[in-house]
Amino acid sequence: MKKIITLIIITLLASSAFAATRNGVSSTYPVGMRSVAALGMGDAFYVKSDNKYAPFYNPAGLARVKRNRVDIVPFMMSANMDTIDFVQDVIGLDFDNNTDVANMLQDYVGKPISGRVQLYPSYTRPFFTVGGYIDVSADAIASNPVLPELNRDAYTEVGVVLGGAHSVFYDRLQLGVAGRFFYRINEKDSFTFIELSKDDFDVSWDTMNKGYNLMADLGAIYNIYHHGVNPRIGVAVNNISIVETEDTDVPPVTLTLSAGISPKFERLGINTDLIIDIKDITFSYEQDDDLPKRINIGAEARFLRDIIALRAGIHQGYFTAGFGIDLTYLQVDYAYYKEEIGAYSGQKS
């Protein structure tokens, strides 16, 4: 039982997207906290950003927040089907049998195991947000079908967020700034099937890199017209490192351009958003130089005074979908999306 629990922990509770290149295939892009609503829209969110996640997208979006909100017990969880199958197989595995362990890992060679848990209590009102978060991400993969091993690149992050925005030029231009201070633990390692089968197998936490970082995010949204469909453009600079520990693994500075419109159908009581983002236009992500992988397109339609939302989009070339229910004391969001783990859009999701 100890081995079962340990293996699940090392693969599902302390792993992040790979930063290294394996077998000539590059990894997913490093990401911070993510909005489920945004993911349903293809993660195209930079000229909307009208909730507590604005500091991780475009802090200028805080000027678009419509009401005060306190999130007391906000919990987000994501997983793919391979992760669910993996956990089930691990629970029923005989770790004392090398062959069984090797066969199990062989079944998952090349299959991404992905999961994530976020806790993000916060207070948000128009032009301002403050909160604290715990982000535990999970991406692992088995390799080498002859002598299988489990690879992971692990991190757990705990931080605080503060963001503010201001409108100028008769509310045409919205400017925002945010700061994030966090402590991160990360480690890159792999375990062979023989190591996993040993009676004394355990994780050595002493090899983990530990450090803190203070980051800033800047953003702007320019409303070309306030009325009608409200066409607007936006720009955001994310992950500006101010103070950091030398060995902390943090994402690079990125520049994102965005454009959107918000048609309203008043007779039907429907409000909509249509958005396109071009993320990392300076190609700071070193995994690849693929432009389609950096393009996200999203749409949202809200009904019944914005209580119900339906969402769809294109994220890195893949279809996404989602819905949301926003009540006074309860908010529920769901998103289905795919992430590109290959070197170009459409290679391997």
Side-chain angles (χ1 to χ4, degrees):
M1 178 60 70
K2 180 181 177 181
K3 287 185 178 181
I4 293 175
I5 295 174
T6 302
L7 184 57
I8 292 176
I9 288 175
I10 66 172
T11 53
L12 301 184
L13 295 184
S15 301
S16 74
F18 285 105
T21 299
R22 302 184 186 277
N23 301 323
V25 178
S26 65
S27 69
T28 56
Y29 294 151
V31 295
M33 297 285 283
R34 306 180 83 169
S35 164
V36 178
L39 289 171
M41 300 172 61
D43 214 26
F45 201 58
Y46 280 79
V47 289
K48 183 174 171 66
S49 294
D50 57 354
N51 60 26
K52 66 181 183 181
Y53 289 95
F56 299 94
Y57 290 86
N58 187 343
L62 291 169
R64 307 181 65 83
V65 174
K66 297 180 180 179
R67 60 188 175 91
N68 296 359
R69 186 176 199 100
V70 178
D71 288 332
I72 301 175
V73 192
F75 175 77
M76 188 279 275
M77 180 178 68
S78 65
N80 68 347
M81 294 306 298
D82 286 329
T83 302
I84 298 171
D85 294 339
F86 179 83
V87 172
Q88 292 174 342
D89 289 343
V90 168
I91 292 175
L93 186 65
D94 179 8
F95 278 88
D96 295 326
N97 190 317
N98 284 354
T99 302
D100 287 352
V101 176
N103 290 338
M104 189 275 290
L105 290 181
Q106 286 173 342
D107 291 339
Y108 288 93
V109 170
K111 295 181 179 180
I113 301 168
S114 177
R116 191 168 194 172
V117 175
Q118 294 177 354
L119 294 175
Y120 187 10
S122 64
Y123 168 68
T124 304
R125 61 177 174 79
F127 301 99
F128 177 80
T129 189
V130 61
Y133 68 88
I134 301 175
D135 182 13
V136 182
S137 188
D139 281 284
I141 195 167
S143 62
N144 192 357
V146 178
L147 298 173
E149 62 181 20
L150 186 67
N151 305 290
R152 66 162 186 158
D153 181 359
Y155 85 75
T156 299
E157 187 173 294
V158 180
V160 293
V161 182
L162 179 68
H166 184 65
S167 293
V168 296
F169 299 134
Y170 304 99
D171 295 334
R172 280 281 186 91
L173 179 62
Q174 297 159 344
L175 303 173
V177 60
R180 291 178 277 144
F181 180 80
F182 58 85
Y183 181 78
R184 173 179 288 210
I185 302 173
N186 81 286
E187 180 183 29
K188 299 178 182 180
D189 53 16
S190 62
F191 306 93
T192 66
F193 75 97
I194 296 176
E195 291 173 325
L196 294 172
S197 302
K198 290 181 179 179
D199 291 335
D200 59 351
F201 169 74
D202 204 349
V203 179
S204 176
W205 304 101
D206 296 334
T207 60
M208 286 190 171
N209 293 326
K210 304 174 183 179
Y212 60 85
N213 195 295
L214 176 62
M215 280 187 169
D217 302 272
L218 305 174
I221 298 174
Y222 181 73
N223 297 276
I224 300 173
Y225 297 107
H226 268 305
H227 304 292
V229 299
N230 183 211
R232 57 196 185 276
I233 55 177
V235 61
V237 182
N238 299 101
N239 308 319
I240 304 170
S241 185
I242 300 175
V243 179
E244 68 177 270
T245 304
E246 183 176 350
D247 58 358
T248 305
D249 187 11
V250 296
V253 178
T254 59
L255 177 64
T256 298
L257 297 181
S258 185
I261 57 174
S262 299
K264 295 183 179 181
F265 304 91
E266 296 182 357
R267 292 186 178 182
L268 300 176
I270 302 175
N271 297 317
T272 67
D273 284 295
L274 303 173
I275 298 171
I276 181 170
D277 292 342
I278 305 177
K279 193 171 184 178
D280 184 31
I281 64 170
T282 58
F283 293 88
S284 297
Y285 295 141
E286 297 179 351
Q287 292 92 322
D288 55 67
D289 57 2
D290 187 55
L291 179 59
K293 192 175 172 181
R294 290 166 166 80
I295 297 177
N296 298 325
I297 302 172
E300 179 183 67
R302 300 178 299 279
F303 309 85
L304 301 177
R305 297 183 179 179
D306 294 350
I307 292 177
I308 297 176
L310 298 179
R311 305 175 180 114
I314 302 293
H315 177 58
Q316 299 184 330
Y318 299 103
F319 173 75
T320 71
F323 67 83
I325 300 174
D326 190 356
L327 305 174
T328 303
Y329 299 106
L330 176 67
Q331 181 177 0
V332 178
D333 288 297
Y334 168 82
Y336 166 84
Y337 74 102
K338 293 183 179 181
E339 198 87 9
E340 179 58 62
I341 65 174
Y344 57 86
S345 176
Q347 183 181 19
K348 187 176 182 179
S349 65

